[in-house]
Amino acid sequence: MAITKRRLLATTLVTGLALLAAWAPARAAEPTPTPTATSPNIIFVLVDDLAWNLVQYLPQVRQLQSEGATFTNYTVTDSLCCPSRSSILTGQFPHDTGVFTNGGADGGFAVFKGRGNENRTFATVLQGKGYRTGFLGKYLNGYLPADTQGGALPYVPPGWSEWYVAGNGYPEYNYDLNENHTVVHYGSQPADYLTNVLSRKGKDFIQRSAAANTPFLLEVSTFAPHSPFTPANQDLDDFPGLTAPRTAAYDRLPTNPPSWLADNGPLTAQEKSTLDTNFRKRAQSVQAVDRLIGNLRAQLTTSGIADNTYVVFSSDNGFHMGEYRLTGGKQTAFDTDVRVPLVVAGPGVVPGSQRAEIVQNIDLAPTFQRIGAADVGTHVDGRNLLPLAQGEAAANWRTGALIEHHGPNQAADDPDAQDRRNGSPITYEALRTATYTYVEYSNGEREYYDRTVDPHQLNNIAAGLSATRRTALHDALAAYVACHSHSACWTAGHVPA
């Protein structure tokens, strides 16, 4: 199969690992760090629909945890692919990116591009600092490899030095990649399995970047373990008899559930069987992801740059499988969907550490930019996480995360379309702190879960809150939804305890 010749960029070696300044809520933006000798590299592995319950089947991720920092209160801005990925790329909430869904008037690739978001991603910033930037795998819903977007060649967004991106890569076979403006088809042979292809291309990108003595950022964005949960051939027989976890929330409704959930009856025997089969397939499909991480890290060592590279692992959203009488899906404000893994290893990161601060996917872009000695603009809603990973105290850190969702999300062409049985919430906004989850729906319904005594979120006590408490929560949520800058969103993130 003919693969196009990869472009080698002769970029200037950026001087500078950031001397990371302390944060202060009053300032509008973090100043440019003072650079030192050599800019560190960044590898960001982003997987699709991976919940915390799959980490136990990922030995490379557990190894990464032992060598780095795990953020135990990391949440996404929306448990849905495109809004979450838009926040990751820009460091902004959905109310600032304008991306709330996977397509249509308020979401998808077309809205992300149309609002100019592609010109202010961490890739454009780091490329401007001399970084070689590479993107492999899944971009945004609605992106098609052959689409020229009005140009002469298949479209590659600004900021990316190298681009190997699919459209419908969910089946893992029989897909197209836009490889630096040329569409290449992959078939149904074992060597065509998409996660393995991304692994090979990632290793090659690292090797060539190291040989060029150029700092790089590489995002490898897998489609696994998104449905249809296709494992690589070598993993098809793994984990015989594995079933979906039977947590306290499995096949149970919360008390006082919202109306979109209230009518769901108990899971049927067939639904439980399907959930068990799909959970096993999910565990099988992430084995290729685990090997990918191991292969990338091995290449870092071979190329002699492991000690100067940050490796970051995360997911765009979680995934419920039987909890709250819901079959497989996402999009809710429950922790099954919004709380996902974030692991960071690299220079100065405290091995085996855990950080319980409230952090979100809006914090990744400013973190990557600060690693690359770049400014963080006043339009960025998130905050640099590297000081936390390196063990610094978190004086006056934010106390609440904001979650924003538009729904129900039932477009026929949406790979994440869900019905009542999967869970199809109406539009909501939510606050999540270290101790509670508070949700306001567009129809006026409310949820409040005290997770200190109700960690599985089974007792909605919103109706029992005092009027004073309800007002304080509503006002805090409204202020958060209305924030539109680095400083304003930092201030709004300090919500009532």
Side-chain angles (χ1 to χ4, degrees):
M1 179 178 297
I3 304 296
T4 57
K5 184 179 292 185
R6 300 167 179 86
R7 299 174 296 168
L8 294 175
L9 302 181
T11 56
T12 305
L13 179 62
V14 175
T15 59
L17 170 61
L19 294 179
L20 297 159
W23 39 76
R27 72 179 181 218
E30 299 177 62
T32 304
T34 302
T36 56
T38 304
S39 293
N41 310 299
I42 305 165
I43 293 178
F44 176 37
V45 178
L46 179 67
V47 293
D48 198 344
D49 286 9
L50 183 136
W52 261 109
N53 56 25
L54 286 178
V55 171
Q56 62 188 308
Y57 306 106
L58 291 160
Q60 287 291 335
V61 174
R62 297 200 307 274
Q63 178 65 28
L64 202 66
Q65 288 182 289
S66 72
E67 298 175 17
T70 300
F71 290 85
T72 59
N73 270 310
Y74 174 76
T75 56
V76 295
T77 53
D78 186 3
S79 182
L80 185 60
C81 292
C82 202
S84 177
R85 290 164 184 266
S86 298
S87 290
I88 289 170
L89 286 165
T90 63
Q92 293 183 302
F93 287 113
H95 68 252
D96 281 330
T97 65
V99 179
F100 290 92
T101 65
N102 286 342
D106 61 352
F109 162 65
V111 171
F112 186 81
K113 180 177 183 293
R115 289 177 60 96
N117 290 302
E118 289 187 313
N119 297 311
R120 48 179 179 267
T121 67
F122 58 76
T124 59
V125 173
L126 289 177
Q127 191 181 64
K129 296 293 290 185
Y131 271 66
R132 179 196 300 265
T133 57
F135 195 107
L136 282 67
K138 177 178 176 178
Y139 183 44
L140 298 172
N141 295 75
Y143 174 85
L144 299 173
D147 187 357
T148 65
Q149 290 290 302
L153 298 171
Y155 179 73
V156 172
W160 298 103
S161 311
E162 298 197 22
W163 183 258
Y164 305 91
V165 174
N168 180 24
Y170 300 101
E172 298 283 347
Y173 296 103
N174 294 304
Y175 57 88
D176 293 334
L177 288 182
N178 178 342
E179 301 192 353
N180 301 322
H181 302 289
T182 297
V183 176
V184 178
H185 181 73
Y186 291 78
S188 57
Q189 298 302 309
D192 296 322
Y193 185 77
L194 179 53
T195 305
N196 293 345
V197 171
L198 301 182
S199 179
R200 295 194 297 270
K201 290 185 180 298
K203 288 181 62 178
D204 180 67
F205 179 91
I206 293 167
Q207 189 277 327
R208 290 183 291 106
S209 298
N213 198 28
T214 304
F216 65 84
L217 174 139
L218 173 64
E219 177 171 343
V220 183
S221 178
T222 70
F223 284 79
H226 194 288
S227 63
F229 322 119
T230 305
N233 285 357
Q234 68 195 85
D235 304 314
L236 288 170
D237 297 324
D238 288 357
F239 311 114
L242 184 64
T243 60
R246 266 59 169 173
T247 69
Y250 186 84
D251 202 17
R252 289 183 61 187
L253 284 180
T255 61
N256 307 308
S259 56
W260 65 265
L261 178 61
D263 293 337
N264 264 13
L267 297 170
T268 67
Q270 182 57 56
E271 286 172 334
K272 291 180 179 180
S273 177
T274 299
L275 286 167
D276 289 340
T277 297
N278 287 343
F279 186 79
R280 184 165 60 253
K281 291 171 66 177
R282 283 167 59 80
Q284 292 169 344
S285 71
V286 297
Q287 298 313 295
V289 174
D290 204 59
R291 288 192 295 273
L292 177 150
I293 295 170
N295 290 339
L296 298 183
R297 299 194 75 193
Q299 185 61 58
L300 291 174
T301 299
T302 299
S303 296
I305 55 175
D307 292 341
N308 194 37
T309 302
Y310 289 94
V311 179
V312 179
F313 173 83
S314 193
S315 176
D316 59 355
N317 50 256
F319 204 75
H320 55 254
M321 298 197 77
E323 294 89 351
Y324 315 108
R325 293 185 176 172
L326 296 172
T327 57
K330 46 199 175 185
Q331 304 184 30
T332 80
F334 292 118
D335 268 11
T336 52
D337 296 9
V338 299
R339 178 179 167 268
V340 298
L342 175 63
V343 184
V344 180
V349 176
V350 180
S353 60
Q354 293 191 348
R355 298 302 302 235
E357 287 79 15
I358 299 296
V359 299
Q360 290 200 265
N361 51 354
I362 56 169
D363 298 323
L364 294 179
T367 301
F368 297 159
Q369 290 169 211
R370 296 286 286 177
I371 288 173
D375 282 324
V376 175
T378 58
H379 67 282
V380 174
D381 301 331
R383 211 74 175 178
N384 174 25
L385 298 180
L386 195 55
L388 300 183
Q390 294 179 329
E392 295 188 18
N396 200 33
W397 191 260
R398 74 164 74 91
T399 56
L402 173 64
I403 301 149
E404 303 177 295
H405 179 76
H406 283 190
N409 183 42
Q410 298 172 319
D413 61 347
D414 188 342
D416 295 321
Q418 297 180 186
D419 59 18
R420 177 184 60 85
R421 210 60 180 139
N422 301 108
S424 189
I426 63 174
T427 296
Y428 67 81
E429 287 91 29
L431 292 176
R432 185 191 182 278
T433 73
T435 59
Y436 68 80
T437 298
Y438 172 69
V439 189
E440 290 188 0
Y441 291 95
S442 57
N443 65 357
E445 293 179 331
R446 303 286 184 268
E447 288 179 285
Y448 184 95
Y449 300 98
D450 180 355
R451 299 194 325 278
T452 61
V453 295
D454 180 26
H456 293 282
Q457 297 168 268
L458 290 169
N459 187 21
N460 176 18
I461 59 174
L465 298 175
S466 69
T468 299
R469 178 66 168 168
R470 288 197 302 269
T471 298
L473 290 168
H474 171 78
D475 290 348
L477 182 56
Y480 221 162
V481 171
C483 76
H484 296 290
S485 71
H486 199 65
S487 58
C489 291
W490 181 249
T491 299
H494 292 76
V495 304

